[in-house]
């Protein structure tokens, strides 16, 4: 007798439902390109880094007649407002000599530009930007190196204030412009907003600066100044305080692919009392901001734009610079 196959009397089991395919991690071509550019910039900067370890060679002050011409063409001096009292008590008051380089025949109305680097960096990071400013904008520039051992943004801001006074004394200009990369922009903003620097700074341009604090803070447990760059730190909270009457114009360049600014919008200036414009930069990351030619051209254009009170050409933001 032929036996039936085992279990042939059981109905067939239903096939399991098909689960939706979960999207895996996909790297966009833009992110891959930006990462490759970041690595290239880093490799190039390691080569030029030793060039910025030494301070700039001091330059002799301008003659009195040149200073008088500069001051006259720059307009009447603004009245001095009382000094603020939130200056660090241990900050020395002796002004430091800061050399100024560039075209001495530059238009007298154009303020000098002070360049301020980021964390564990030096003035060599601004080689491309500096060349763009001096060659095309005929601007005089000055770079400040602050020690990587600096432990407090407030102290670094006080040092910047003394350097700004040295530039004013050397050039005869009443105000300056500042360009700061990353931590340098945060130091400059603290000087402008909390130490009365708005009397001295016409325009502050920041490149990839954590205005709202960043969640990416490598070495935060080792270096106190890195902890100050994190969201919710006392320094970041100070910058959220009211700043009525601030006279400085802020222009912040933020990169969509900046992996150091988390979230990327933290590199935008968001304060109701500040005259701020945020410029979106596409296709590049954090390290490329101070060296990309398109960004350098955009920064030069910003610094060449008169203040709103001087002309009817206001700066427009939320545009792509690269």
């Amino acid at each position: 007798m032929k036996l039936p196959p085992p279990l042939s009397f059981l109905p067939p089991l239903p096939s399991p439902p098909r689960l939706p395919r979960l999207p895996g991690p996909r790297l966009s071509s833009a992110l891959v390109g930006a990462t490759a550019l970041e690595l290239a910039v880093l490799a190039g900067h390691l080569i030029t880094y030793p060039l910025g370890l030494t301070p700039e060679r001091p330059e002799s002050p301008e003659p009195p007649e040149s200073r008088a011409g500069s001051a006259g063409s720059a307009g009447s001096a603004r009245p001095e407002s009382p000094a603020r009292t939130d200056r660090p008590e241990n900050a020395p008051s002796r002004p430091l000599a800061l050399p100024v380089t560039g075209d001495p025949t530059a238009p007298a109305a154009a303020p000098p530009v002070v360049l301020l680097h980021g964390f564990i960096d030096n003035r060599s990071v601004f080689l491309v930007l500096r060349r763009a400013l001096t060659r095309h904008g005929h601007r005089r520039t000055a770079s400040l190196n602050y020690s990587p051992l600096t432990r407090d943004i407030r102290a670094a801001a006080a040092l910047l204030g003394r350097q700004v006074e040295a530039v004013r004394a050397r050039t005869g200009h009443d105000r300056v412009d500042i360009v700061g990369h990353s931590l340098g922009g945060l130091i400059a903003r603290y000087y402008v907003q909390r130490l009365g620097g708005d009397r001295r700074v016409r325009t502050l341009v920041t490149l990839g600066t954590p205005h709202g604090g960043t969640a990416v803070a490598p070495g935060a447990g080792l270096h106190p100044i890195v902890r100050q760059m994190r969201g919710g730190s006392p320094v970041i909270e100070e910058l959220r305080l009211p700043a009525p009457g601030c006279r400085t114009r802020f222009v912040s360049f933020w990169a969509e692919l900046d992996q150091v600014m988390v979230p990327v919008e933290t590199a935008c200036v968001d304060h109701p009392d500040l005259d701020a414009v945020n410029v979106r930069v596409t296709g590049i990351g954090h390290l490329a901001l101070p060296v990309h030619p398109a960004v350098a051209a955009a920064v030069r254009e910003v610094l060449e734009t008169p203040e709103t009170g001087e002309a009817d050409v206001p700066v427009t933001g939320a545009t792509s610079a690269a």
Side-chain angles (χ1 to χ4, degrees):
M1 184 179 64
K2 187 177 179 180
L3 296 176
L7 305 180
S8 60
F9 58 89
L10 294 178
L13 295 176
S15 58
R18 298 186 62 183
L19 296 176
R21 186 177 180 180
L22 298 178
R26 298 179 59 186
L27 295 178
S28 66
S29 58
L31 181 57
V32 172
T35 302
L37 180 59
E38 290 284 280
L39 294 176
V41 170
L42 178 60
H45 190 40
L46 291 177
I47 298 175
T48 60
Y49 188 88
L51 301 177
L53 292 174
T54 57
E56 295 175 331
R57 187 172 60 181
E59 181 185 88
S60 57
E62 292 184 2
E65 57 271 15
S66 175
R67 293 188 183 184
S70 299
S73 59
S76 59
R78 299 174 182 262
E80 295 277 338
S81 60
R84 302 187 184 180
T85 59
D86 47 5
R87 182 176 179 271
E89 296 179 358
N90 58 349
S93 59
R94 181 176 59 88
L96 304 178
L98 181 64
V100 182
T101 62
D103 186 359
T105 64
V113 183
V114 177
L115 306 174
L116 194 60
H117 61 79
F119 180 59
I120 314 183
D121 209 340
N122 60 41
R123 60 186 179 88
S124 64
V125 74
F126 291 116
L127 289 177
V128 174
L129 178 58
R130 189 171 198 163
R131 187 179 301 114
L133 293 177
T134 55
R135 283 188 177 180
H136 301 286
H138 303 291
R139 286 177 157 272
R140 310 193 72 186
T141 62
S143 295
L144 166 63
N145 275 357
Y146 58 90
S147 171
L149 301 179
T150 302
R151 300 174 59 86
D152 184 26
I153 288 177
R154 303 174 186 89
L159 170 64
L160 173 62
R162 298 194 299 275
Q163 298 286 13
V164 168
E165 294 302 319
V167 171
R168 293 180 61 250
R170 196 173 295 273
T171 64
H173 281 270
D174 183 55
R175 306 183 83 188
V176 304
D177 292 334
I178 297 179
V179 179
H181 178 229
S182 195
L183 173 60
L186 201 61
I187 292 172
R189 180 179 171 184
Y190 193 93
Y191 163 64
V192 166
Q193 192 174 327
R194 302 295 297 163
L195 302 183
D198 61 311
R199 297 180 290 115
R200 305 303 192 201
V201 180
R202 185 191 69 154
T203 301
L204 170 57
V205 177
T206 64
L207 309 173
T209 291
H211 292 284
T214 177
V216 177
L222 302 176
H223 205 299
I225 206 170
V226 178
R227 291 195 293 271
Q228 292 180 334
M229 289 189 286
R230 304 199 67 166
S233 73
V235 168
I236 297 298
E237 292 305 313
E238 279 189 63
L239 294 177
R240 299 184 190 278
L241 295 176
C246 183
R247 286 162 279 192
T248 297
R249 174 181 56 171
F250 292 79
V251 181
S252 173
F253 287 80
W254 63 281
E256 286 183 332
L257 301 179
D258 192 332
Q259 301 299 305
V260 180
M261 299 295 105
V262 178
V264 291
E265 293 81 6
T266 194
C268 298
V269 177
D270 184 14
H271 196 292
D273 295 333
L274 301 182
D275 177 14
V277 173
N278 297 303
V279 182
R280 176 175 56 90
V281 183
T282 61
I284 64 174
H286 187 76
L287 298 179
L289 279 170
V291 301
H292 198 284
V295 177
V299 170
R300 177 170 55 86
E301 182 179 353
V302 165
L303 296 180
E304 290 176 353
T305 303
E307 292 181 281
T308 306
E310 297 175 358
D312 296 328
V313 189
V315 180
T316 57
T319 59
S320 175

